[in-house]
Amino acid sequence: HVQLVESGGGSVQAGGSLRLPCVVTGYDHSSYCMGWFRQAPGKEREGVACIFTNGASTDYADSVKGRFTISVDNGRNTVYLQMNSLTAEDTAMYYCAAKTGSCAAGRKSADFDYWGQGTQVTVS
């Protein structure tokens, strides 16, 4: 039974930072693609970043390049999203997701099999 649990969301002032951890349990593959997505009210879900857990290759949406960093700690089965220089446009519910295989296909949400419950980030 695969479970993804996000945490670390909250309210922050513009220009501030947050780090979102996502703990993965029950995944029986040694390497897989992890992604962070976000969805603001009235908007489509956006793939923010993804990382392949064995080689740590990464991919980012243009909207977050240079500000967000995705990383993985395989020993803790945890993927992190470090978010810096936050703006009001970053306000959204943030979700982590997992899929078997590499991240070569990109950040399409329909390709991801397992999802967390989400954590709210509000920037004011």
Side-chain angles (χ1 to χ4, degrees), residues 4 22 49 51 54 58 75 84 87 91 98 106 123:
L4 284 67
C22 172
I51 188 167
N54 78 342
T58 58
N84 299 328
T87 72
T91 295
V123 185

Side-chain angles (χ1 to χ4, degrees), residues 1-110:
H1 177 63
V2 178
Q3 272 196 310
L4 284 67
V5 179
E6 309 98 331
S7 60
S11 296
V12 63
Q13 290 188 336
S17 299
L18 282 174
R19 187 176 79 153
L20 307 182
C22 172
V23 179
V24 184
T25 57
Y27 213 105
D28 61 358
H29 295 270
S30 60
S31 57
Y32 45 93
C33 179
M34 287 294 302
W36 279 99
F37 295 79
R38 67 185 181 185
Q39 189 164 21
K43 293 188 176 181
E44 291 189 357
R45 186 166 294 189
E46 176 188 22
V48 172
C50 61
I51 188 167
F52 190 41
T53 59
N54 78 342
S57 61
T58 58
D59 181 57
Y60 296 92
D62 288 342
S63 57
V64 306
K65 278 180 184 175
R67 300 188 300 122
F68 289 13
T69 302
I70 189 170
S71 61
V72 60
D73 183 339
N74 287 313
R76 289 185 168 87
N77 294 326
T78 302
V79 176
Y80 300 94
L81 185 68
Q82 177 67 45
M83 306 185 295
N84 299 328
S85 302
L86 287 162
T87 72
E89 286 68 39
D90 296 314
T91 295
M93 184 71 80
Y94 283 72
Y95 301 89
C96 65
K99 65 174 180 177
T100 303
S102 75
C103 299
R107 291 168 276 105
K108 298 187 287 288
S109 60

